[in-house]
Amino acid sequence: AVAYGRPPFLDNWLRYQKSIGVSHVHVIAEPSFVSEGGLSEAFVADSVRNGFVSVDVWDPHLASGVHIHYHSQLLAYHDCIYRFAPLYEYMYFADQDDFFVPLAPKAVSLEYYVDRWCHWGSCMFDWIEMYPECGMSSSGRSDGNLTALLVSTKQKTLPFKKCIHRLCATVEVGI
């Protein structure tokens, strides 16, 4: 994940990653993440201490702008691929507001979907944008799944996909 500032859902997002079976989350943090207290939330700090989360702070070396930002993000993604390829079989890149929503009610583990659809290289999943500003039914759940708390069903399927990559077959990725 790439983190900027103080992400509002980070603790819920991390809880949810753990609940769906993610074994490690690596955060590429901009300096604003640290300066605005992103590491000071109790669950985030505990997750770093127990090794579930690792954090690297990347200083932006290039001038600002959308194209430069995405180039820097690609560099971070590729750093993750080459750093973690010897340690993990699969990787997916997600923002701290991306929640994987299982389609089968009893199959909540990410591994269930990886085992069925991600054998050879990368597999793609629809990216559906939901709108939390319409309201949530409570402040949180123990598993961190904020999508289950949304009051509105207002959503939009984006033309882009979210991908899970098998690291032994991945050389490079895109945004």
Side-chain angles (χ1 to χ4, degrees):
V2 178
Y4 314 91
R6 190 162 184 155
F9 306 121
L10 184 59
D11 60 337
N12 292 95
W13 183 78
L14 288 172
R15 286 178 205 282
Y16 188 62
Q17 299 313 305
K18 190 173 269 195
S19 76
I20 63 172
V22 171
S23 59
H24 180 249
V25 174
H26 184 69
V27 177
I28 299 294
E30 293 233 334
S32 62
F33 176 73
V34 176
S35 67
E36 293 182 28
L39 291 172
S40 64
E41 293 181 38
F43 188 78
V44 176
D46 287 345
S47 295
V48 171
R49 265 193 302 281
N50 68 31
F52 178 62
V53 173
S54 58
V55 178
D56 276 339
V57 178
W58 281 46
D59 288 317
H61 295 288
L62 304 171
S64 63
V66 167
H67 297 295
I68 298 300
H69 166 77
Y70 283 130
H71 180 71
S72 296
Q73 189 171 349
L74 273 175
L75 293 174
Y77 284 178
H78 288 105
D79 177 74
C80 285
I81 288 171
Y82 297 123
R83 177 187 307 210
F84 294 110
L87 303 173
Y88 299 102
E89 192 172 357
Y90 293 94
M91 180 179 292
Y92 82 102
F93 299 97
D95 295 329
Q96 65 277 357
D97 60 353
D98 291 336
F99 289 78
F100 182 83
V101 179
L103 293 178
K106 293 186 180 186
V108 296
S109 168
L110 190 58
E111 185 178 9
Y112 172 88
Y113 299 91
V114 168
D115 286 347
R116 281 156 183 78
W117 291 287
C118 302
H119 296 108
W120 304 109
S122 298
C123 60
M124 299 185 297
F125 296 91
D126 283 338
W127 187 3
I128 300 171
E129 193 170 75
M130 298 178 178
Y131 301 93
E133 63 271 5
C134 294
M136 290 194 221
S137 61
S138 73
S139 62
R141 289 171 35 138
S142 61
D143 69 355
N145 183 1
L146 295 180
T147 60
L149 303 175
L150 293 175
V151 173
S152 172
T153 58
K154 182 179 176 188
Q155 61 186 26
K156 177 174 86 173
T157 301
L158 299 175
F160 314 106
K161 305 286 184 186
K162 287 290 179 169
C163 300
I164 296 175
H165 308 284
R166 187 168 189 171
L167 290 175
C168 68
T170 303
V171 177
E172 64 181 323
V173 296
I175 298 293

